[in-house]
Amino acid sequence: ELLARQMEGTWPVEVTRRLVLAGGDYDVFVLLSPAPAMQKVKDDVMLKGVAAKFELTVPDYANNELTTSSVILLDKFEGLTAPMTADMIEVKPYNMGAEIVPARSAKKKKTDELLIFYQVYNASVDGTSLKPDVVVEYEFLVKKDGAESQALSGDGKKLVYPPQKYNGSTLPPQFDGNVMPLTPALAIPLSMFAPGDYRVNIKITDSKATKSITREVVFSVAE
């Protein structure tokens, strides 16, 4: 029934696939065609499928510069109930130790959670402990009448989130900063946010290398 409704165009078709690529610029061609058993005939013409072209830039994460992956808004972040097989990883590329579902829209409701996921690469590590010393800070801004200001909760208090610290005291003993990226994650209820348009500034500081980078993500909250 699900496939039939997708074929009729009443449900969108979502396609995910893992691509392992070196850093660089690519043209990605995607062909979507019904399986033979699902082919439909319309006016005696067989529906062949559709094709799309995407331009893709893959960052070079092996340049030893402090950087991050894309900052992704999520609809879901939950622990896995069972290990994923190789075949499952191919079609669910965002599942990295947890079930991760990227958000379909940046428009959220007050009953939702703000879920943000990304990875930090090339933080400097201690030669003995193999641990970095990284601090992640979040700033919430709201846009109103074309200007941005500090976001406040419904009761007028400043919206803040404690800095996240990743170092030898907070990371697990098996963490090896030479081969493992840091994986910060933010999960806070949107019930404290007034309706409006927001931007989150993310400041990532590598204390060992005395370097900082910033990233941002935008979203909106409706009743």
Side-chain angles (χ1 to χ4, degrees), residues 179-214:
V179 296
M180 300 176 182
L182 290 172
T183 306
L186 180 70
I188 55 176
L190 287 172
S191 56
M192 65 181 70
F193 287 73
D197 297 320
Y198 291 87
R199 179 164 63 92
V200 183
N201 280 337
I202 305 170
K203 182 180 180 182
I204 302 158
T205 300
D206 181 347
S207 300
K208 291 185 180 296
T210 62
K211 290 182 179 180
S212 293
I213 57 175
T214 58

mmCIF file of all heavy atoms in Angstrom, residues 179-214:
data_model
loop_
_atom_site.group_PDB
_atom_site.id
_atom_site.type_symbol
_atom_site.label_atom_id
_atom_site.label_comp_id
_atom_site.label_asym_id
_atom_site.label_seq_id
_atom_site.Cartn_x
_atom_site.Cartn_y
_atom_site.Cartn_z
ATOM 1 N N VAL A 179 41.818 9.673 15.738
ATOM 2 C CA VAL A 179 41.021 8.951 14.742
ATOM 3 C C VAL A 179 39.526 9.169 14.912
ATOM 4 O O VAL A 179 38.748 8.820 14.016
ATOM 5 C CB VAL A 179 41.315 7.433 14.796
ATOM 6 C CG1 VAL A 179 42.761 7.160 14.429
ATOM 7 C CG2 VAL A 179 41.004 6.863 16.178
ATOM 8 N N MET A 180 39.090 9.757 16.031
ATOM 9 C CA MET A 180 37.658 9.923 16.280
ATOM 10 C C MET A 180 37.284 11.405 16.286
ATOM 11 O O MET A 180 37.914 12.193 16.986
ATOM 12 C CB MET A 180 37.273 9.319 17.639
ATOM 13 C CG MET A 180 37.548 7.850 17.777
ATOM 14 S SD MET A 180 37.143 7.295 19.463
ATOM 15 C CE MET A 180 37.625 5.570 19.366
ATOM 16 N N PRO A 181 36.261 11.802 15.520
ATOM 17 C CA PRO A 181 35.781 13.182 15.624
ATOM 18 C C PRO A 181 34.948 13.357 16.887
ATOM 19 O O PRO A 181 34.374 12.397 17.414
ATOM 20 C CB PRO A 181 34.913 13.343 14.373
ATOM 21 C CG PRO A 181 34.402 11.958 14.109
ATOM 22 C CD PRO A 181 35.512 11.027 14.516
ATOM 23 N N LEU A 182 34.916 14.570 17.382
ATOM 24 C CA LEU A 182 33.990 14.887 18.465
ATOM 25 C C LEU A 182 32.580 14.969 17.900
ATOM 26 O O LEU A 182 32.388 15.423 16.767
ATOM 27 C CB LEU A 182 34.363 16.214 19.114
ATOM 28 C CG LEU A 182 35.649 16.245 19.929
ATOM 29 C CD1 LEU A 182 35.962 17.674 20.342
ATOM 30 C CD2 LEU A 182 35.539 15.350 21.144
ATOM 31 N N THR A 183 31.603 14.566 18.684
ATOM 32 C CA THR A 183 30.219 14.583 18.216
ATOM 33 C C THR A 183 29.347 15.329 19.224
ATOM 34 O O THR A 183 28.643 14.704 20.024
ATOM 35 C CB THR A 183 29.695 13.159 17.996
ATOM 36 O OG1 THR A 183 30.590 12.463 17.123
ATOM 37 C CG2 THR A 183 28.323 13.176 17.346
ATOM 38 N N PRO A 184 29.396 16.667 19.210
ATOM 39 C CA PRO A 184 28.485 17.409 20.087
ATOM 40 C C PRO A 184 27.045 17.238 19.602
ATOM 41 O O PRO A 184 26.785 17.004 18.421
ATOM 42 C CB PRO A 184 28.943 18.862 19.925
ATOM 43 C CG PRO A 184 30.305 18.790 19.316
ATOM 44 C CD PRO A 184 30.303 17.557 18.480
ATOM 45 N N ALA A 185 26.120 17.339 20.510
ATOM 46 C CA ALA A 185 24.702 17.275 20.152
ATOM 47 C C ALA A 185 23.931 18.170 21.106
ATOM 48 O O ALA A 185 24.245 18.238 22.296
ATOM 49 C CB ALA A 185 24.184 15.844 20.212
ATOM 50 N N LEU A 186 22.946 18.855 20.569
ATOM 51 C CA LEU A 186 22.123 19.764 21.367
ATOM 52 C C LEU A 186 20.686 19.280 21.313
ATOM 53 O O LEU A 186 20.154 19.018 20.237
ATOM 54 C CB LEU A 186 22.218 21.189 20.812
ATOM 55 C CG LEU A 186 21.420 22.262 21.538
ATOM 56 C CD1 LEU A 186 22.019 22.536 22.907
ATOM 57 C CD2 LEU A 186 21.389 23.551 20.715
ATOM 58 N N ALA A 187 20.062 19.143 22.482
ATOM 59 C CA ALA A 187 18.662 18.715 22.557
ATOM 60 C C ALA A 187 17.992 19.490 23.674
ATOM 61 O O ALA A 187 18.265 19.257 24.851
ATOM 62 C CB ALA A 187 18.568 17.214 22.809
ATOM 63 N N ILE A 188 17.128 20.439 23.306
ATOM 64 C CA ILE A 188 16.425 21.231 24.311
ATOM 65 C C ILE A 188 14.971 21.402 23.870
ATOM 66 O O ILE A 188 14.673 21.478 22.674
ATOM 67 C CB ILE A 188 17.068 22.618 24.530
ATOM 68 C CG1 ILE A 188 17.169 23.390 23.218
ATOM 69 C CG2 ILE A 188 18.436 22.492 25.154
ATOM 70 C CD1 ILE A 188 17.705 24.800 23.394
ATOM 71 N N PRO A 189 14.032 21.450 24.817
ATOM 72 C CA PRO A 189 12.618 21.612 24.455
ATOM 73 C C PRO A 189 12.349 23.015 23.923
ATOM 74 O O PRO A 189 12.893 24.005 24.425
ATOM 75 C CB PRO A 189 11.889 21.360 25.779
ATOM 76 C CG PRO A 189 12.900 21.665 26.834
ATOM 77 C CD PRO A 189 14.230 21.283 26.270
ATOM 78 N N LEU A 190 11.505 23.088 22.913
ATOM 79 C CA LEU A 190 11.153 24.391 22.338
ATOM 80 C C LEU A 190 9.991 25.052 23.070
ATOM 81 O O LEU A 190 9.571 26.141 22.693
ATOM 82 C CB LEU A 190 10.814 24.220 20.853
ATOM 83 C CG LEU A 190 12.025 23.949 19.957
ATOM 84 C CD1 LEU A 190 11.585 23.603 18.540
ATOM 85 C CD2 LEU A 190 12.970 25.149 19.929
ATOM 86 N N SER A 191 9.484 24.411 24.110
ATOM 87 C CA SER A 191 8.382 25.004 24.865
ATOM 88 C C SER A 191 8.789 26.322 25.524
ATOM 89 O O SER A 191 7.936 27.174 25.797
ATOM 90 C CB SER A 191 7.898 24.025 25.936
ATOM 91 O OG SER A 191 8.960 23.638 26.791
ATOM 92 N N MET A 192 10.089 26.513 25.772
ATOM 93 C CA MET A 192 10.554 27.744 26.398
ATOM 94 C C MET A 192 10.772 28.871 25.388
ATOM 95 O O MET A 192 11.036 30.005 25.771
ATOM 96 C CB MET A 192 11.856 27.480 27.162
ATOM 97 C CG MET A 192 13.022 27.075 26.284
ATOM 98 S SD MET A 192 14.534 26.739 27.229
ATOM 99 C CE MET A 192 14.066 25.221 28.050
ATOM 100 N N PHE A 193 10.679 28.566 24.071
ATOM 101 C CA PHE A 193 10.896 29.571 23.035
ATOM 102 C C PHE A 193 9.568 30.210 22.648
ATOM 103 O O PHE A 193 8.588 29.503 22.385
ATOM 104 C CB PHE A 193 11.523 28.942 21.792
ATOM 105 C CG PHE A 193 12.964 28.568 21.937
ATOM 106 C CD1 PHE A 193 13.338 27.476 22.713
ATOM 107 C CD2 PHE A 193 13.958 29.286 21.295
ATOM 108 C CE1 PHE A 193 14.660 27.108 22.854
ATOM 109 C CE2 PHE A 193 15.285 28.934 21.421
ATOM 110 C CZ PHE A 193 15.644 27.843 22.211
ATOM 111 N N ALA A 194 9.554 31.529 22.576
ATOM 112 C CA ALA A 194 8.385 32.217 22.049
ATOM 113 C C ALA A 194 8.332 32.013 20.536
ATOM 114 O O ALA A 194 9.365 31.793 19.894
ATOM 115 C CB ALA A 194 8.458 33.705 22.373
ATOM 116 N N PRO A 195 7.159 32.050 19.921
ATOM 117 C CA PRO A 195 7.089 31.931 18.459
ATOM 118 C C PRO A 195 7.952 32.993 17.782
ATOM 119 O O PRO A 195 8.009 34.145 18.222
ATOM 120 C CB PRO A 195 5.603 32.146 18.162
ATOM 121 C CG PRO A 195 4.902 31.734 19.420
ATOM 122 C CD PRO A 195 5.820 32.159 20.533
ATOM 123 N N GLY A 196 8.650 32.587 16.724
ATOM 124 C CA GLY A 196 9.501 33.538 16.009
ATOM 125 C C GLY A 196 10.570 32.841 15.210
ATOM 126 O O GLY A 196 10.613 31.602 15.117
ATOM 127 N N ASP A 197 11.459 33.651 14.603
ATOM 128 C CA ASP A 197 12.562 33.152 13.790
ATOM 129 C C ASP A 197 13.859 33.265 14.590
ATOM 130 O O ASP A 197 14.170 34.341 15.132
ATOM 131 C CB ASP A 197 12.679 33.954 12.490
ATOM 132 C CG ASP A 197 11.435 33.813 11.619
ATOM 133 O OD1 ASP A 197 10.895 32.697 11.545
ATOM 134 O OD2 ASP A 197 11.010 34.832 11.029
ATOM 135 N N TYR A 198 14.644 32.186 14.615
ATOM 136 C CA TYR A 198 15.817 32.124 15.477
ATOM 137 C C TYR A 198 17.069 31.739 14.694
ATOM 138 O O TYR A 198 17.001 31.105 13.646
ATOM 139 C CB TYR A 198 15.608 31.090 16.594
ATOM 140 C CG TYR A 198 14.572 31.494 17.610
ATOM 141 C CD1 TYR A 198 13.226 31.196 17.403
ATOM 142 C CD2 TYR A 198 14.924 32.181 18.767
ATOM 143 C CE1 TYR A 198 12.267 31.559 18.330
ATOM 144 C CE2 TYR A 198 13.973 32.544 19.705
ATOM 145 C CZ TYR A 198 12.646 32.235 19.479
ATOM 146 O OH TYR A 198 11.696 32.599 20.397
ATOM 147 N N ARG A 199 18.196 32.135 15.266
ATOM 148 C CA ARG A 199 19.512 31.695 14.781
ATOM 149 C C ARG A 199 20.331 31.277 15.990
ATOM 150 O O ARG A 199 20.349 31.972 17.007
ATOM 151 C CB ARG A 199 20.225 32.803 14.013
ATOM 152 C CG ARG A 199 21.613 32.413 13.508
ATOM 153 C CD ARG A 199 22.108 33.394 12.442
ATOM 154 N NE ARG A 199 22.268 34.731 12.949
ATOM 155 C CZ ARG A 199 23.410 35.223 13.458
ATOM 156 N NH1 ARG A 199 24.472 34.439 13.546
ATOM 157 N NH2 ARG A 199 23.480 36.457 13.887
ATOM 158 N N VAL A 200 21.006 30.126 15.861
ATOM 159 C CA VAL A 200 21.897 29.654 16.914
ATOM 160 C C VAL A 200 23.336 29.834 16.439
ATOM 161 O O VAL A 200 23.724 29.264 15.416
ATOM 162 C CB VAL A 200 21.646 28.177 17.259
ATOM 163 C CG1 VAL A 200 22.545 27.747 18.416
ATOM 164 C CG2 VAL A 200 20.183 27.938 17.600
ATOM 165 N N ASN A 201 24.101 30.631 17.153
ATOM 166 C CA ASN A 201 25.529 30.741 16.900
ATOM 167 C C ASN A 201 26.254 29.680 17.719
ATOM 168 O O ASN A 201 26.028 29.561 18.930
ATOM 169 C CB ASN A 201 26.052 32.122 17.303
ATOM 170 C CG ASN A 201 25.769 33.175 16.259
ATOM 171 O OD1 ASN A 201 25.580 32.869 15.090
ATOM 172 N ND2 ASN A 201 25.724 34.433 16.668
ATOM 173 N N ILE A 202 27.106 28.929 17.068
ATOM 174 C CA ILE A 202 27.866 27.866 17.729
ATOM 175 C C ILE A 202 29.348 28.233 17.655
ATOM 176 O O ILE A 202 29.908 28.356 16.571
ATOM 177 C CB ILE A 202 27.624 26.510 17.048
ATOM 178 C CG1 ILE A 202 26.134 26.190 17.000
ATOM 179 C CG2 ILE A 202 28.390 25.405 17.778
ATOM 180 C CD1 ILE A 202 25.794 24.986 16.140
ATOM 181 N N LYS A 203 29.962 28.436 18.823
ATOM 182 C CA LYS A 203 31.391 28.759 18.879
ATOM 183 C C LYS A 203 32.144 27.558 19.419
ATOM 184 O O LYS A 203 31.847 27.062 20.502
ATOM 185 C CB LYS A 203 31.636 29.970 19.774
ATOM 186 C CG LYS A 203 33.105 30.391 19.841
ATOM 187 C CD LYS A 203 33.297 31.599 20.747
ATOM 188 C CE LYS A 203 34.766 32.005 20.809
ATOM 189 N NZ LYS A 203 34.963 33.163 21.732
ATOM 190 N N ILE A 204 33.120 27.085 18.653
ATOM 191 C CA ILE A 204 33.909 25.903 19.005
ATOM 192 C C ILE A 204 35.344 26.352 19.235
ATOM 193 O O ILE A 204 35.991 26.881 18.317
ATOM 194 C CB ILE A 204 33.837 24.852 17.888
ATOM 195 C CG1 ILE A 204 32.374 24.451 17.642
ATOM 196 C CG2 ILE A 204 34.685 23.633 18.234
ATOM 197 C CD1 ILE A 204 32.134 23.857 16.292
ATOM 198 N N THR A 205 35.832 26.174 20.446
ATOM 199 C CA THR A 205 37.172 26.631 20.804
ATOM 200 C C THR A 205 38.066 25.439 21.116
ATOM 201 O O THR A 205 37.740 24.615 21.979
ATOM 202 C CB THR A 205 37.134 27.569 22.025
ATOM 203 O OG1 THR A 205 36.323 28.712 21.724
ATOM 204 C CG2 THR A 205 38.525 28.051 22.393
ATOM 205 N N ASP A 206 39.183 25.358 20.399
ATOM 206 C CA ASP A 206 40.213 24.350 20.652
ATOM 207 C C ASP A 206 41.234 24.995 21.591
ATOM 208 O O ASP A 206 42.075 25.787 21.159
ATOM 209 C CB ASP A 206 40.853 23.928 19.332
ATOM 210 C CG ASP A 206 41.920 22.850 19.511
ATOM 211 O OD1 ASP A 206 42.336 22.599 20.653
ATOM 212 O OD2 ASP A 206 42.350 22.264 18.494
ATOM 213 N N SER A 207 41.158 24.683 22.872
ATOM 214 C CA SER A 207 42.011 25.342 23.864
ATOM 215 C C SER A 207 43.479 24.998 23.679
ATOM 216 O O SER A 207 44.356 25.820 23.956
ATOM 217 C CB SER A 207 41.557 24.966 25.277
ATOM 218 O OG SER A 207 40.225 25.375 25.503
ATOM 219 N N LYS A 208 43.779 23.793 23.220
ATOM 220 C CA LYS A 208 45.171 23.390 23.027
ATOM 221 C C LYS A 208 45.832 24.162 21.893
ATOM 222 O O LYS A 208 47.018 24.478 21.953
ATOM 223 C CB LYS A 208 45.253 21.890 22.766
ATOM 224 C CG LYS A 208 44.904 21.026 23.978
ATOM 225 C CD LYS A 208 45.127 19.562 23.678
ATOM 226 C CE LYS A 208 44.775 18.705 24.889
ATOM 227 N NZ LYS A 208 45.651 18.976 26.037
ATOM 228 N N ALA A 209 45.086 24.442 20.849
ATOM 229 C CA ALA A 209 45.645 25.148 19.693
ATOM 230 C C ALA A 209 45.295 26.640 19.721
ATOM 231 O O ALA A 209 45.706 27.368 18.810
ATOM 232 C CB ALA A 209 45.117 24.535 18.404
ATOM 233 N N THR A 210 44.546 27.065 20.743
ATOM 234 C CA THR A 210 44.066 28.456 20.851
ATOM 235 C C THR A 210 43.427 28.929 19.539
ATOM 236 O O THR A 210 43.749 29.995 19.027
ATOM 237 C CB THR A 210 45.195 29.412 21.282
ATOM 238 O OG1 THR A 210 46.232 29.409 20.284
ATOM 239 C CG2 THR A 210 45.762 29.017 22.625
ATOM 240 N N LYS A 211 42.515 28.092 19.031
ATOM 241 C CA LYS A 211 41.789 28.430 17.809
ATOM 242 C C LYS A 211 40.296 28.312 18.065
ATOM 243 O O LYS A 211 39.855 27.491 18.870
ATOM 244 C CB LYS A 211 42.172 27.474 16.663
ATOM 245 C CG LYS A 211 43.577 27.637 16.132
ATOM 246 C CD LYS A 211 43.820 26.662 14.970
ATOM 247 C CE LYS A 211 45.218 26.808 14.403
ATOM 248 N NZ LYS A 211 45.457 25.863 13.274
ATOM 249 N N SER A 212 39.523 29.144 17.362
ATOM 250 C CA SER A 212 38.068 29.081 17.461
ATOM 251 C C SER A 212 37.457 29.168 16.071
ATOM 252 O O SER A 212 37.997 29.848 15.182
ATOM 253 C CB SER A 212 37.520 30.218 18.329
ATOM 254 O OG SER A 212 37.911 30.067 19.669
ATOM 255 N N ILE A 213 36.349 28.470 15.883
ATOM 256 C CA ILE A 213 35.565 28.593 14.665
ATOM 257 C C ILE A 213 34.107 28.753 15.068
ATOM 258 O O ILE A 213 33.718 28.421 16.195
ATOM 259 C CB ILE A 213 35.728 27.364 13.743
ATOM 260 C CG1 ILE A 213 35.349 26.067 14.484
ATOM 261 C CG2 ILE A 213 37.121 27.283 13.174
ATOM 262 C CD1 ILE A 213 35.367 24.835 13.605
ATOM 263 N N THR A 214 33.293 29.289 14.177
ATOM 264 C CA THR A 214 31.867 29.464 14.468
ATOM 265 C C THR A 214 31.034 28.832 13.361
ATOM 266 O O THR A 214 31.438 28.787 12.204
ATOM 267 C CB THR A 214 31.492 30.950 14.601
ATOM 268 O OG1 THR A 214 31.822 31.635 13.390
ATOM 269 C CG2 THR A 214 32.224 31.599 15.770
#
